[in-house]
Amino acid sequence: MGDSSNSSIKVRFLMVLCLIGIVSGQLSSSFYLTKCPTALLTIKAAVISAVVKEPRMGASLLRLHFHDCFVQGCDGSVLLDDTSTFTGEKTAFPNVNSLRGFDVIDNIKSQVEILCPGVVSCADIVAVAARDSVVTLGGPSWAVQLGRRDSTTASLSIANSDLPGPTLDLNSLITSFSDKGFTAQELVALSGAHTIGKARCQFFRARIFNETNIDSSFATSLQANCPSTGGDDNLANLDVTTPNTFDNVYFKNLQSKKGLFHSDQELFNGGSTDSQVNTYSTNAATFRTDFANAMIKMGNLSPLTGSSGQIRTDCKKIN
């Protein structure tokens, strides 16, 4: 009698859990365990290969996930190409001639489609590739929540309005991230992604020529490759010290007034986030933990689940 009663309770409990998952659009770290058991290993191998070949690709794949999630949620919308009847997000100001890694995602998708046709979404590939990129460059790992589906729409206007730019001041950064549900602490943690990657001259020229809260020798060294006119596409490392290692040196650079973007240095410029920068600069473990948790939270921004959206066969276009 007791056993059957307990079994009945367990069944009802599982049903409730299932309903909660359906209602909330809940993702799961084990989503592909039986649906496509080799998917995550396949993604990981491709990411490691791409990042070893070109370390900058790690930052590019991480940024791709961020630029996807901040525009109508983590739905793979950023991957869609423009057509004669459809305008995607690739030509938005924060993305055009700037976002990279689409070829790596396409390569992964083609491999996964052979293994498990129509099962693994492009949005999930982008999310996993971001995590694997960070790990490959020495950063923390986290359990990526999975089960996203791909959008059949994109928004050029939201990409232009909602993606925070390199010239924002602290209040605007806090507002931009708050609008997506992030605290100021999570803003600082996620900004630590700038411990890897490169930026184009046009996005930091004004800072190195016009701003005063910048180390003078740092500014001078950048001016050699980023003149006051011309050279818009010339690149500089976001982290001048350890550009290809995911670590907490980015925050030490801010303390030394060596933030590349205006928006970077705003995090340590006598404002409310200075203390958080100080914490991360002296405690790498705290930064790693906070970054991983913030990435999980970002990956949960408005995912399409259940019967919403689709599983694109080709990440660049709607089925």
Side-chain angles (χ1 to χ4, degrees):
M1 184 75 176
D3 286 347
S4 62
S5 175
N6 285 340
S7 296
S8 176
I9 291 170
K10 285 178 181 176
V11 168
R12 285 200 298 273
F13 179 65
L14 288 171
M15 287 175 67
V16 169
L17 284 180
C18 287
L19 284 171
I20 291 171
I22 291 167
V23 171
S24 66
Q26 192 173 316
L27 303 176
S28 162
S29 59
S30 60
F31 188 80
Y32 294 114
L33 203 58
T34 55
K35 297 171 187 285
C36 190
T38 55
L40 296 188
L41 286 174
T42 302
I43 297 170
K44 183 179 181 179
V47 168
I48 290 173
S49 175
V51 175
V52 167
K53 183 178 177 181
E54 184 199 4
R56 183 190 175 198
M57 187 54 70
S60 298
L61 292 171
L62 175 57
R63 186 164 176 251
L64 202 56
H65 182 40
F66 172 69
H67 281 231
D68 183 28
C69 293
F70 259 55
V71 183
Q72 66 180 33
C74 308
D75 60 0
S77 62
V78 73
L79 305 174
L80 290 169
D81 280 346
D82 291 357
T83 68
S84 58
T85 57
F86 176 89
T87 302
E89 297 162 16
K90 289 183 177 179
T91 55
F93 180 71
N95 297 337
V96 67
N97 299 321
S98 176
L99 278 188
R100 307 168 72 249
F102 297 109
D103 54 332
V104 176
I105 300 300
D106 287 339
N107 173 47
I108 293 171
K109 179 61 174 175
S110 63
Q111 291 184 47
V112 173
E113 279 298 301
I114 293 170
L115 293 170
C116 318
V119 172
V120 183
S121 69
C122 299
D124 275 351
I125 291 172
V126 170
V128 175
R131 187 271 312 274
D132 291 344
S133 293
V134 170
V135 173
T136 303
L137 292 173
S141 187
W142 59 91
V144 178
Q145 300 299 295
L146 301 163
R148 299 169 193 80
R149 289 168 65 83
D150 299 321
S151 70
T152 55
T153 62
S155 179
L156 182 72
S157 61
I158 296 177
N160 277 321
S161 65
D162 287 18
L163 287 166
T167 61
L168 292 188
D169 62 21
L170 181 59
N171 286 338
S172 299
L173 286 167
I174 290 172
T175 299
S176 177
F177 278 76
S178 176
D179 287 346
K180 303 296 179 184
F182 293 103
T183 64
Q185 177 180 321
E186 288 166 334
L187 153 66
V188 178
L190 289 170
S191 296
H194 285 181
T195 185
I196 53 175
K198 297 177 183 288
R200 293 161 66 215
C201 166
Q202 74 173 95
F203 295 120
F204 59 84
R205 177 184 285 118
R207 170 156 166 73
I208 64 174
F209 282 100
N210 304 330
E211 297 185 12
T212 55
N213 61 341
I214 186 168
D215 179 86
S216 58
S217 60
F218 175 61
T220 302
S221 67
L222 290 166
Q223 289 168 7
N225 194 44
C226 181
S228 55
T229 56
D232 281 4
D233 294 333
N234 292 350
L235 299 172
N237 293 314
L238 284 159
D239 174 353
V240 67
T241 314
T242 54
N244 295 324
T245 304
F246 195 100
D247 54 25
N248 68 329
V249 173
Y250 165 81
F251 299 104
K252 300 176 190 289
N253 291 337
L254 297 186
Q255 291 175 317
S256 303
K257 298 184 179 180
K258 293 180 181 178
L260 185 64
F261 289 152
H262 176 83
S263 57
D264 288 321
Q265 198 59 57
E266 279 289 287
L267 300 179
F268 191 82
N269 193 35
S272 60
T273 52
D274 282 17
S275 59
Q276 198 62 47
V277 170
N278 287 333
T279 296
Y280 290 153
S281 72
T282 55
N283 195 325
T286 299
F287 165 55
R288 290 169 70 90
T289 299
D290 287 358
F291 180 83
N293 289 333
M295 286 299 293
I296 292 171
K297 183 173 176 177
M298 189 176 79
N300 284 329
L301 286 176
S302 307
L304 298 173
T305 57
S307 59
S308 299
Q310 61 181 212
I311 306 296
R312 283 188 225 133
T313 304
D314 181 339
C315 293
K316 298 187 296 296
K317 59 186 181 182
I318 297 159
N319 293 346

